[in-house]
Amino acid sequence: IIEKGGAAEYRTTRKPVTVFFADLRGFTAFSEGVEPEEVMATLAEFHNSLGARIVEYGGTLERFTGDGFMVFFNDPVEQLDHVQRAARMALAMKENVETLSQGWRQKGYEIHVGFGMDTGYATVGFVGYEGRLDYAVIGNVTNLSARLSDVAQGGEILISARVRAELEKGFRIESAGTFELKGIRRPQPVFQLLDTSLPGRQEA
C-alpha cells in the first residue's frame, strides 16, 4: 500500500480473495470465571501463536476481535496460490490450537477454536474517515466464511464448495453436509478440511 502511494492514493478495487475466520468457543463462559488478567494472558497466548502463522503464510490480518480474527489473502500483495496458502495456514493453526488446548485443559479451561474459509470476489479498500481508516474486504465471501466459522465445532476447519473446488490436489477433504447459515439465503454445501493428503491416499 505504501509503495502505491499510501492510503490516500490506494483505490478501492474488486478482485478474488480468500477469507479466513477463527473464533474461540466457550470463551464467554471462561471469561466469566477467571480474573481479567488471566483473560488477557490467554488471549495474548492465542493471538501470538496463531498470529505467527498469518505472517508465515503471507496473510493480511483485517482485524482481531475479542475472541477471534479475520485474515484474507491475495491483497494487497498478489498471490496466485491464495486458496492453497489459506488452507495450509488453517491446518498449521489447527496444530497450534491443539498444543494450546493441552495447556488450557490443565488449567481447567474448556476453550476450543472453530475455523471457516471461503474464496471469491470482493471489494477491497479503505473505509472510515479522515484520521481513522481501516482496510476492509466486503462481499459475500466475507459473510460466508464468517458463518462457516460460527457453525464450526472446536477444531473443525469448514470450507465452502468454492474452496473445495480449488483444492483438488494435496489436501484431504470430506463432506460435512448441507447447512442453512444465518444471513445466507440458500442452503450451502459445506466441507471439512482435514489435512494434507498423504502419498498414495485419495481425498474423500
Short mmCIF file of all heavy atoms in Angstrom, two decimals, residues 9 12 17 25 32 40 52 71 80 83 112 124 137 140-142 155 178 184 190 194:
data_model
loop_
_atom_site.label_atom_id
_atom_site.label_comp_id
_atom_site.label_asym_id
_atom_site.label_seq_id
_atom_site.Cartn_x
_atom_site.Cartn_y
_atom_site.Cartn_z
N GLU A 9 -3.90 7.32 -1.68
CA GLU A 9 -3.82 7.06 -3.12
C GLU A 9 -4.32 5.67 -3.49
O GLU A 9 -4.47 5.36 -4.67
CB GLU A 9 -2.38 7.23 -3.61
CG GLU A 9 -1.82 8.63 -3.40
CD GLU A 9 -2.61 9.66 -4.18
OE1 GLU A 9 -3.07 9.34 -5.28
OE2 GLU A 9 -2.77 10.78 -3.66
N THR A 12 -10.14 1.71 -4.09
CA THR A 12 -10.97 0.53 -3.87
C THR A 12 -11.05 -0.26 -5.17
O THR A 12 -11.18 0.30 -6.26
CB THR A 12 -12.39 0.96 -3.43
OG1 THR A 12 -12.29 1.64 -2.19
CG2 THR A 12 -13.31 -0.24 -3.30
N VAL A 17 -10.40 -12.98 -3.63
CA VAL A 17 -9.68 -13.11 -2.37
C VAL A 17 -10.11 -14.41 -1.69
O VAL A 17 -11.16 -14.98 -2.00
CB VAL A 17 -9.94 -11.93 -1.41
CG1 VAL A 17 -9.39 -10.64 -1.99
CG2 VAL A 17 -11.42 -11.79 -1.11
N ARG A 25 -14.39 -20.90 21.04
CA ARG A 25 -15.61 -21.48 21.59
C ARG A 25 -15.48 -21.59 23.10
O ARG A 25 -14.44 -21.99 23.61
CB ARG A 25 -15.84 -22.90 21.02
CG ARG A 25 -15.93 -22.96 19.51
CD ARG A 25 -17.28 -22.43 19.04
NE ARG A 25 -17.37 -22.46 17.60
CZ ARG A 25 -17.00 -21.48 16.79
NH1 ARG A 25 -16.50 -20.38 17.30
NH2 ARG A 25 -17.12 -21.58 15.49
N GLU A 32 -15.99 -15.37 32.27
CA GLU A 32 -16.81 -15.06 33.44
C GLU A 32 -16.27 -15.71 34.71
O GLU A 32 -16.62 -15.29 35.82
CB GLU A 32 -18.25 -15.54 33.21
CG GLU A 32 -19.01 -14.72 32.18
CD GLU A 32 -20.38 -15.30 31.90
OE1 GLU A 32 -20.64 -16.46 32.32
OE2 GLU A 32 -21.20 -14.62 31.26
N MET A 40 -6.77 -11.76 29.54
CA MET A 40 -5.85 -11.08 28.65
C MET A 40 -4.63 -11.95 28.34
O MET A 40 -4.15 -11.99 27.20
CB MET A 40 -5.40 -9.76 29.27
CG MET A 40 -6.50 -8.72 29.40
SD MET A 40 -7.13 -8.19 27.77
CE MET A 40 -5.70 -7.30 27.14
N ALA A 52 1.58 -15.74 14.38
CA ALA A 52 2.83 -16.11 13.70
C ALA A 52 2.55 -16.86 12.41
O ALA A 52 3.30 -16.74 11.43
CB ALA A 52 3.69 -16.95 14.64
N VAL A 71 -8.63 -13.01 8.51
CA VAL A 71 -7.45 -12.91 7.66
C VAL A 71 -7.90 -13.06 6.22
O VAL A 71 -8.82 -13.82 5.92
CB VAL A 71 -6.42 -14.01 8.00
CG1 VAL A 71 -5.20 -13.94 7.08
CG2 VAL A 71 -6.00 -13.93 9.46
N LEU A 80 -1.02 -15.90 -6.43
CA LEU A 80 -1.72 -16.81 -7.34
C LEU A 80 -2.22 -18.05 -6.61
O LEU A 80 -3.21 -18.66 -7.01
CB LEU A 80 -0.80 -17.22 -8.50
CG LEU A 80 -0.37 -16.08 -9.44
CD1 LEU A 80 0.57 -16.62 -10.51
CD2 LEU A 80 -1.58 -15.41 -10.07
N VAL A 83 -5.64 -19.55 -2.28
CA VAL A 83 -6.51 -20.54 -1.62
C VAL A 83 -5.65 -21.59 -0.92
O VAL A 83 -5.92 -21.98 0.23
CB VAL A 83 -7.45 -21.20 -2.64
CG1 VAL A 83 -8.36 -22.20 -1.94
CG2 VAL A 83 -8.28 -20.15 -3.37
N HIS A 112 -12.18 -23.88 22.90
CA HIS A 112 -11.90 -24.51 21.62
C HIS A 112 -11.95 -23.44 20.53
O HIS A 112 -12.36 -22.31 20.77
CB HIS A 112 -12.91 -25.62 21.33
CG HIS A 112 -13.01 -26.63 22.44
ND1 HIS A 112 -12.09 -27.64 22.61
CD2 HIS A 112 -13.91 -26.76 23.45
CE1 HIS A 112 -12.43 -28.36 23.67
NE2 HIS A 112 -13.52 -27.84 24.20
N VAL A 124 -12.29 -4.55 -2.05
CA VAL A 124 -11.27 -4.32 -1.03
C VAL A 124 -10.80 -2.87 -1.10
O VAL A 124 -10.71 -2.27 -2.17
CB VAL A 124 -10.08 -5.28 -1.19
CG1 VAL A 124 -10.52 -6.71 -1.01
CG2 VAL A 124 -9.42 -5.10 -2.56
N VAL A 137 -12.44 -5.89 3.56
CA VAL A 137 -12.84 -6.78 2.46
C VAL A 137 -14.34 -6.97 2.60
O VAL A 137 -14.82 -7.51 3.60
CB VAL A 137 -12.12 -8.14 2.56
CG1 VAL A 137 -12.62 -9.10 1.50
CG2 VAL A 137 -10.61 -7.95 2.43
N ASN A 140 -19.90 -11.17 -0.27
CA ASN A 140 -20.45 -12.44 0.21
C ASN A 140 -19.38 -13.39 0.71
O ASN A 140 -19.62 -14.22 1.60
CB ASN A 140 -21.26 -13.10 -0.91
CG ASN A 140 -22.54 -12.35 -1.20
OD1 ASN A 140 -23.09 -11.67 -0.34
ND2 ASN A 140 -23.03 -12.46 -2.42
N VAL A 141 -18.19 -13.31 0.14
CA VAL A 141 -17.11 -14.19 0.56
C VAL A 141 -16.78 -13.98 2.04
O VAL A 141 -16.51 -14.95 2.77
CB VAL A 141 -15.86 -13.99 -0.33
CG1 VAL A 141 -15.34 -12.56 -0.23
CG2 VAL A 141 -14.76 -14.96 0.03
N THR A 142 -16.84 -12.74 2.50
CA THR A 142 -16.61 -12.46 3.91
C THR A 142 -17.75 -13.00 4.77
O THR A 142 -17.52 -13.61 5.82
CB THR A 142 -16.46 -10.95 4.13
OG1 THR A 142 -15.35 -10.47 3.37
CG2 THR A 142 -16.23 -10.62 5.60
N GLY A 155 -12.01 -27.24 16.68
CA GLY A 155 -11.03 -27.98 15.90
C GLY A 155 -11.41 -28.21 14.46
O GLY A 155 -10.60 -28.72 13.68
N THR A 178 -25.03 -30.29 4.18
CA THR A 178 -25.60 -29.03 3.70
C THR A 178 -26.11 -28.24 4.89
O THR A 178 -26.85 -28.76 5.71
CB THR A 178 -26.73 -29.30 2.69
OG1 THR A 178 -26.21 -30.05 1.59
CG2 THR A 178 -27.32 -27.99 2.17
N ILE A 184 -27.51 -16.17 5.01
CA ILE A 184 -27.24 -16.72 3.68
C ILE A 184 -28.54 -17.32 3.17
O ILE A 184 -29.13 -18.20 3.82
CB ILE A 184 -26.15 -17.80 3.72
CG1 ILE A 184 -24.89 -17.26 4.41
CG2 ILE A 184 -25.84 -18.29 2.32
CD1 ILE A 184 -24.19 -16.15 3.71
N VAL A 190 -21.20 -27.80 2.55
CA VAL A 190 -20.05 -27.45 3.39
C VAL A 190 -19.12 -28.66 3.47
O VAL A 190 -19.57 -29.81 3.52
CB VAL A 190 -20.51 -27.03 4.80
CG1 VAL A 190 -19.31 -26.76 5.71
CG2 VAL A 190 -21.39 -25.79 4.71
N LEU A 194 -9.36 -31.57 6.42
CA LEU A 194 -8.82 -32.45 7.45
C LEU A 194 -7.31 -32.33 7.59
O LEU A 194 -6.79 -32.17 8.69
CB LEU A 194 -9.22 -33.89 7.17
CG LEU A 194 -10.73 -34.15 7.14
CD1 LEU A 194 -11.00 -35.58 6.71
CD2 LEU A 194 -11.34 -33.87 8.49
#
